[in-house]
Amino acid sequence: MIHFGYNKRTKSYRAFIDLQKMDKDFVSIKFDTGATDTIITTGALGFDDIQAAKLLKSIKGKKLIQTTFTSASNDSFIGYSCYCDDLRIGDVELKRFYYYIVFNDKPKALLGDDFISCCIFSHGYKGDIVVTAFNYEGYEKQYISSQNSMNIFEVLFQG
């Protein structure tokens, strides 16, 4: 089960992702039905300028395909397809979690329709969202060709 708490002040639903990969284990992520894909910024992951530069160099070296996104405020930004192994969100453990890394200092993490569409959930008026089931097989099928993705934590923390 995944519990997304409703924040009356920000009028948003949030949960925490447990990365278990670095000093900043938990990332707050917003349940965003308006986002087609899940994105996480380098700022949300707590990466410093040196880590971001190392990561970008590796991404460019692997010639990962970049995807351009447009925000609700019509700002454009670029994301690169990534994944993280052995991630926990709520009580759900994912063998592999897919997202786009965006190079931005602002701590933003949006759980998009690529993930949300695989959830069975319920919620009440201005209440929390509770995901009661997750179709991992359906989720994984969306990313069959993940050879154009990379595990950024392997790049940053490979010794």
Side-chain angles (χ1 to χ4, degrees), residues 39-148:
I39 66 154
I40 301 177
T41 63
T42 51
L45 294 172
F47 292 172
D48 61 27
D49 290 342
I50 294 168
Q51 290 170 316
K54 180 179 179 180
L55 180 57
L56 187 59
K57 182 179 177 182
S58 182
I59 286 171
K60 300 274 185 185
K62 290 186 179 251
K63 298 181 179 161
L64 290 184
I65 298 170
Q66 61 186 36
T67 301
T68 302
F69 297 95
T70 304
S71 70
S73 59
N74 214 26
D75 294 327
S76 292
F77 55 93
I78 294 171
Y80 300 92
S81 182
C82 297
Y83 62 88
C84 177
D85 289 332
D86 304 318
L87 176 133
R88 177 185 288 276
I89 181 167
D91 293 334
V92 175
E93 290 186 39
L94 299 174
K95 227 175 9 179
R96 184 159 282 179
F97 178 75
Y98 298 93
Y99 62 98
Y100 286 89
I101 188 78
V102 174
F103 288 82
N104 188 316
D105 291 340
K106 294 180 183 173
K108 287 197 181 249
L110 305 174
L111 194 63
D113 191 57
D114 55 332
F115 186 91
I116 295 169
S117 66
C118 297
C119 297
I120 294 175
F121 60 90
S122 63
H123 72 92
Y125 176 71
K126 292 195 178 189
D128 296 348
I129 294 172
V130 178
V131 175
T132 55
F134 183 73
N135 182 336
Y136 187 76
E137 186 177 305
Y139 176 70
E140 186 73 20
K141 282 182 183 177
Q142 298 178 83
Y143 298 97
I144 296 283
S145 62
S146 63
Q147 67 268 18
N148 286 331

